[in-house]
Amino acid sequence: MKNKLILLVLLGATIAATAQNPQLWSTTLYGGALGGGNIFQINGDGTSFANRYSFSAPYVAEYTMVLATNNTLYGITGGGGANGVGVIFTVDPVSNIYTEIFDFAIATGSNPNGHLIQAANGKLYGLANRGGAYNRGAIFSYDYTTGTYADLYDFNVQGNTPYGNLVQAANGMLYGMTYSGGNSNEGTIFSYDIASATFNSLYSFDGIGGASPYGSLMQASNGLLYGMTYQGGINDYGVIFSFDPVTSSYVDIYDFPDSTGSFPQGSLIQATDGNLYGMTSSGGVNSGGVLFRFNISSGVYADIWDMIGQPFGDVIQSSNGLLYGMSNYGGLNSQGNIFKYDIASGTYNDIYSFLNSDGSIPYASLTEVGAGMLYGMASMGGNNNYGVVFVCDILGIFQKLHDYPGNEGCFPDASITQADNGLFYGLTNAGGTNDAGIIYSFRPSDSDYHVVYNFDMTHGGSPVGSMIKATNGKLYGVVPYGGANGEGVLYSFDPSTNTYADLFDFIDTTGFLPWRDLLQATNGKLYGYARTGGLNNNGALFSFDITTQTYADVHDFSAAEGRISSGTPMQASNGLIYGLTRNGGANNVGIIFSFNTSNNVLAPVYDMDALTGNNCWGRLTEASNGFLYGVTELGGGNGYGTLFSFNTANSAYAVVHHFDFTQGGYPYRSMTRASNGILYGSADGGAGNGGVLYSYNTVSGIYVETYDFNGVNGNYANDLIEYDSTLNAVSDLSKENSIIISPNPVHGNGVITFYSASSEILSMTLSDITGRVLIAETITASSGKNKKEIITGELAKGVYVVTLSGAKRNVSEKIIKE
């Protein structure tokens, strides 16, 4: 017995020694050499980082041009250019010639949003959404007379990630808003004094009175600044507010109710009748947004036109007194339209319907030059399907001025998956032929990259999350948009044939807007989250049987349980599925729940709170000690989130690390358990403010920040995966004397994969470490790839050996049962 124990210890030591510093791979959402994210590899201890592939960012033609006093139009793009992170361009309204004059860089502000303004000193001012010293955006100026760009202020925790533009008030100060940051991380209102170069954070949105502004401020004739927030308020559909620049007094003056408009993503204007006008991106009779009027004297709101096509920009008042604007899915071709509205008669008319060849899906606002020449940008369409710059007169005569170039995928909001052929497969959220994202393959040995599928909204698009490899060798995933009902798709992708299949189109009654990754449980079914819809409109937990291709809404979340907004379910060794919600529960900041696949019963098992962490996005991970580990984006001792453990046996919850932003904060991705037993993850913050990689040792309780991103090497890493060299070793059929076991370690049953050049009869045995045969089976193998399930569900934890033998082979592989 002593010799057997020594053998087991030596075997364990050998396994540990070869896996102490695993090779990890993932992607970053932004940044990299070309601004669109990258594929990278790194060792578990943070050494040997290598950028293996850079995605090229598109130009992002979604903003408004401004007519400067030199009678030239100036505009920005959110990507593209020499550095992949945006450009400043001009359009001459006489010749209609387009010229790029400045390339943004991450170090001094990147990916600008909103539009430029010309201040009283003649310079142009704007906001960068990312980049700068902390990689959280910047205020910048551009002097077109000298071609001089200046990074004036770098955003940090006092407010960051601005999505709108600046406004110069009557007092000469610049005012703007950020989408995030501030006291509640819901965004801020700030001022910037051009004369003294002084920045002041004036107000922090708190959610109750508005949250997450996605537009800009404007100053009305009464001297007050007015704006809107995308979320927050009594109904959480956004608000209209006023802000007094003299007293810094903030007032929530209207809460959107959804029935007459919700989720405004633009800015207000004050028309000649004294009323404020604006648009919402959703709500109203058609759920496609509304054009509204707000009387600042009486406080009366009126939904004056129910849109169909989801407007995202602003309306402008033309020199003829009419309002003009765009929606991104309206018009005769459902590709967006330019419309006019007569405020005197209440009459609405389309003046131009976009057609893909000349541009489509506009997210921007119009700029009038002269008497009735409207200049704008469309985010898609044109010769390359990546957007255009155009001019259209008030009669609807349209001219395309410039086509933006395309790319082969960008902004991967997902990690990568290693298939049985050894190749990595991944997704990008944007780019590709239809700018709806792609599936790509990547060979780790030589960085060979190929687009293998272009998403389109007909069969689903804009993927958020990764694919999983199922036991049948196919990859499965969900996309939150598109499909037959426009509410998301569950799909499969076969790496052996590069075939994509739309398997299920989500619908609101049983859950829609599916988010992040799927789980294949031990019963063979796939499980995932629908972010909204279902019986209570709070989202649903669903299953999908890949054999019968049957979808089931297995649980509708209640308000008390919380709405699922992101993350991935996981199955623990006790057979139960565990997951997280972002709100609901006793403290309304989320819960941990369990789900029994045998009887479809969901049970809340822990209520999150602000002190120990809340606002969970990711997936729980089971460690070798049997505890589940996860992260919260907010809460904890420093307010930047926590890393916690959860004991499924007694529901004991413990914070094991408080994030502090300097070494990582606001974690919203899942952790991965590597073969050495250590957990690896990513978070925001760090020295370069582009995010960090970290490790957590569940035995020693030590957290280590292992690597800092700074934009140039990528921003915001997705979930890490451990490279499996055994898959790469059998990537062709000539290597018959090898077998693959997955997953390994295994909790329930595993799958053995092997290749045969021709049909043959094989013997498969599973033995314990002493050599005692526990399972013996005869397998009839066919030519090509073969799979066989290994029944280990009833075995005790430990190390076992699988042996495959026949006339042409005799090969063994260890399998670890946990």
Side-chain angles (χ1 to χ4, degrees):
M1 184 66 182
K2 181 178 180 181
N3 290 335
K4 293 176 184 177
L5 289 174
I6 292 173
L7 176 62
L8 185 57
V9 169
L10 290 175
L11 177 61
T14 301
I15 294 171
T18 58
Q20 282 304 307
N21 199 16
Q23 186 183 109
L24 306 173
W25 289 72
S26 190
T27 59
T28 63
L29 179 57
Y30 302 115
L34 299 175
N38 58 352
I39 302 171
F40 68 87
Q41 72 176 80
I42 191 169
N43 291 336
D45 63 0
T47 60
S48 301
F49 176 89
N51 178 10
R52 296 295 301 273
Y53 182 82
S54 294
F55 295 96
S56 176
Y59 272 77
V60 190
E62 296 182 354
Y63 310 109
T64 306
M65 291 172 277
V66 60
L67 183 66
T69 51
N70 64 354
N71 200 38
T72 299
L73 288 163
Y74 289 84
I76 57 173
T77 65
N83 304 311
V85 291
V87 304
I88 299 176
F89 67 86
T90 64
V91 173
D92 184 336
V94 177
S95 64
N96 282 335
I97 294 175
Y98 171 98
T99 307
E100 293 179 13
I101 60 173
F102 179 77
D103 292 287
F104 287 91
I106 291 173
T108 55
S110 64
N111 309 98
N113 274 268
H115 63 77
L116 300 166
I117 66 163
Q118 187 173 28
N121 63 4
K123 293 181 180 180
L124 304 176
Y125 291 83
L127 298 171
N129 181 256
R130 291 189 292 277
Y134 307 103
N135 201 27
R136 301 180 78 81
I139 301 172
F140 65 85
S141 68
Y142 183 79
D143 188 336
Y144 60 76
T145 62
T146 63
T148 304
Y149 174 94
D151 174 4
L152 303 175
Y153 177 79
D154 296 303
F155 289 104
N156 199 355
V157 293
Q158 287 185 313
N160 56 74
T161 321
Y163 280 103
N165 50 267
L166 296 162
V167 60
Q168 187 170 32
N171 61 8
M173 305 276 281
L174 301 181
Y175 291 87
M177 299 187 289
T178 66
Y179 183 80
S180 303
N183 297 337
S184 303
N185 199 33
E186 302 280 12
T188 65
I189 299 173
F190 65 85
S191 68
Y192 183 81
D193 189 330
I194 296 173
S196 64
T198 303
F199 174 92
N200 281 299
S201 181
L202 304 175
Y203 177 78
S204 290
F205 292 99
D206 60 7
I208 299 171
S212 308
Y214 208 102
S216 311
L217 297 164
M218 57 80 61
Q219 190 168 33
S221 55
N222 60 8
L224 298 180
L225 301 176
Y226 289 85
M228 301 184 289
T229 67
Y230 179 65
Q231 293 176 300
I234 295 174
N235 307 306
D236 203 23
Y237 291 123
V239 307
I240 301 173
F241 65 85
S242 68
F243 183 81
D244 190 330
V246 177
T247 64
S248 294
S249 174
Y250 175 95
V251 181
D252 171 5
I253 56 178
Y254 181 75
D255 293 274
F256 288 97
D258 190 52
S259 59
T260 55
S262 58
F263 301 125
Q265 285 190 279
S267 308
L268 298 161
I269 67 161
Q270 187 171 30
T272 51
D273 64 358
N275 291 315
L276 303 183
Y277 290 85
M279 299 189 291
T280 70
S281 65
S282 186
V285 172
N286 305 310
S287 298
V290 306
L291 173 65
F292 66 83
R293 178 179 64 239
F294 185 82
N295 188 309
I296 58 177
S297 299
S298 64
V300 175
Y301 172 95
D303 169 5
I304 58 176
W305 188 261
D306 288 285
M307 311 291 286
I308 296 175
Q310 292 184 307
F312 281 81
D314 314 336
V315 289
I316 66 168
Q317 187 169 31
S318 172
S319 54
N320 63 9
L322 302 183
L323 302 182
Y324 289 85
M326 298 188 289
S327 66
N328 64 354
Y329 286 109
L332 297 175
N333 307 306
S334 297
Q335 296 177 7
N337 66 322
I338 301 173
F339 65 84
K340 64 180 180 181
Y341 182 84
D342 189 331
I343 59 178
S345 64
T347 304
Y348 172 98
N349 293 105
D350 287 353
I351 66 168
Y352 178 77
S353 292
F354 287 94
L355 187 62
N356 193 61
S357 57
D358 285 331
S360 62
I361 322 298
Y363 278 83
S365 308
L366 297 162
T367 301
E368 185 179 28
V369 177
M373 299 302 293
L374 306 175
Y375 285 80
M377 306 169 76
S379 66
M380 292 184 66
N383 292 345
N384 305 306
N385 202 32
Y386 275 81
V388 304
V389 179
F390 66 84
V391 61
C392 182
D393 71 11
I394 57 176
L395 299 177
I397 299 174
F398 182 94
Q399 180 185 358
K400 182 177 63 173
L401 305 179
H402 179 74
D403 288 280
Y404 284 105
N407 66 18
E408 291 189 331
C410 56
F411 306 138
D413 197 0
S415 187
I416 46 182
T417 304
Q418 193 171 9
D420 288 340
N421 59 11
L423 298 180
F424 291 145
Y425 289 85
L427 309 164
T428 70
N429 180 256
T433 303
N434 308 301
D435 197 22
I438 63 163
I439 302 175
Y440 62 86
S441 68
F442 180 84
R443 190 162 55 212
S445 60
D446 60 3
S447 299
D448 185 44
Y449 175 93
H450 292 283
V451 176
V452 293
Y453 178 75
N454 286 279
F455 285 98
D456 59 56
M457 286 301 174
T458 303
H459 299 99
S462 301
V464 176
S466 308
M467 296 180 288
I468 65 160
K469 181 177 66 175
T471 51
N472 61 7
K474 292 183 180 180
L475 307 180
Y476 290 84
V478 291
V479 289
Y481 307 108
N485 307 308
E487 296 178 339
V489 165
L490 189 152
Y491 66 88
S492 68
F493 181 79
D494 190 336
S496 62
T497 60
N498 284 347
T499 303
Y500 175 94
D502 175 355
L503 302 179
F504 179 77
D505 294 283
F506 287 86
I507 190 167
D508 56 357
T509 54
T510 56
F512 70 100
L513 204 67
W515 212 254
R516 303 312 305 181
D517 310 345
L518 297 167
L519 157 77
Q520 186 174 31
T522 51
N523 62 8
K525 294 181 180 180
L526 306 178
Y527 289 84
Y529 299 144
R531 194 173 182 181
T532 188
L535 184 64
N536 306 308
N537 204 34
N538 284 308
L541 177 68
F542 64 83
S543 70
F544 185 82
D545 190 321
I546 60 177
T547 303
T548 62
Q549 298 197 1
T550 304
Y551 175 94
D553 172 4
V554 295
H555 183 79
D556 294 293
F557 287 94
S558 66
E561 293 166 340
R563 185 169 61 242
I564 293 291
S565 56
S566 191
T568 303
M570 61 81 66
Q571 190 169 27
S573 55
N574 63 8
L576 297 179
I577 288 177
Y578 288 86
L580 305 156
T581 69
R582 286 189 65 198
N583 52 31
N587 304 306
N588 200 32
V589 291
I591 64 170
I592 301 175
F593 66 84
S594 67
F595 179 79
N596 191 321
T597 60
S598 300
N599 55 19
N600 286 352
V601 172
L602 184 142
V605 293
Y606 183 77
D607 292 290
M608 311 298 286
D609 60 62
L611 181 62
T612 58
N614 61 85
N615 206 46
C616 300
W617 286 78
R619 176 192 66 244
L620 294 164
T621 302
E622 187 168 20
S624 55
N625 59 10
F627 288 11
L628 306 184
Y629 288 81
V631 293
T632 69
E633 189 186 18
L634 299 176
N638 304 309
Y640 294 109
T642 65
L643 194 160
F644 65 86
S645 68
F646 181 77
N647 188 337
T648 59
N650 59 12
S651 296
Y653 177 100
V655 176
V656 297
H657 176 74
H658 294 269
F659 288 94
D660 62 6
F661 197 79
T662 303
Q663 295 185 332
Y666 300 133
Y668 63 98
R669 297 300 194 213
S670 304
M671 293 181 291
T672 297
R673 179 187 168 194
S675 54
N676 60 2
I678 294 176
L679 304 182
Y680 295 90
S682 64
D684 202 346
N689 211 30
V692 306
L693 301 180
Y694 65 84
S695 66
Y696 180 75
N697 190 316
T698 59
V699 177
S700 65
I702 295 175
Y703 171 97
V704 179
E705 179 200 353
T706 59
Y707 190 77
D708 287 284
F709 291 96
N710 58 18
V712 176
N713 56 3
N715 286 341
Y716 314 130
N718 291 298
D719 297 357
L720 295 157
I721 70 163
E722 184 173 7
Y723 176 62
D724 188 344
S725 60
T726 63
L727 293 182
N728 194 45
V730 294
S731 57
D732 63 77
L733 299 183
S734 64
K735 300 185 178 180
E736 294 178 48
N737 204 29
S738 298
I739 58 175
I740 307 162
I741 299 172
S742 62
N744 196 10
V746 62
H747 295 300
N749 296 334
V751 174
I752 179 173
T753 302
F754 60 94
Y755 292 84
S756 294
S758 58
S759 299
E760 58 179 322
I761 304 298
L762 299 171
S763 172
M764 186 193 79
T765 61
L766 185 142
S767 307
D768 64 16
I769 200 67
T770 68
R772 182 167 58 98
V773 175
L774 304 176
I775 299 173
E777 292 187 57
T778 299
I779 302 173
T780 301
S782 59
S783 175
K785 181 169 67 176
N786 293 266
K787 287 180 176 289
K788 173 64 180 176
E789 187 174 27
I790 310 170
I791 309 299
T792 63
E794 300 301 322
L795 297 178
K797 294 182 180 180
V799 179
Y800 299 88
V801 177
V802 176
T803 301
L804 195 64
S805 58
K808 301 177 182 178
R809 77 180 80 207
N810 186 5
V811 60
S812 298
E813 186 70 36
K814 294 184 293 293
I815 181 171
I816 302 171
K817 173 66 190 304
E818 294 188 340

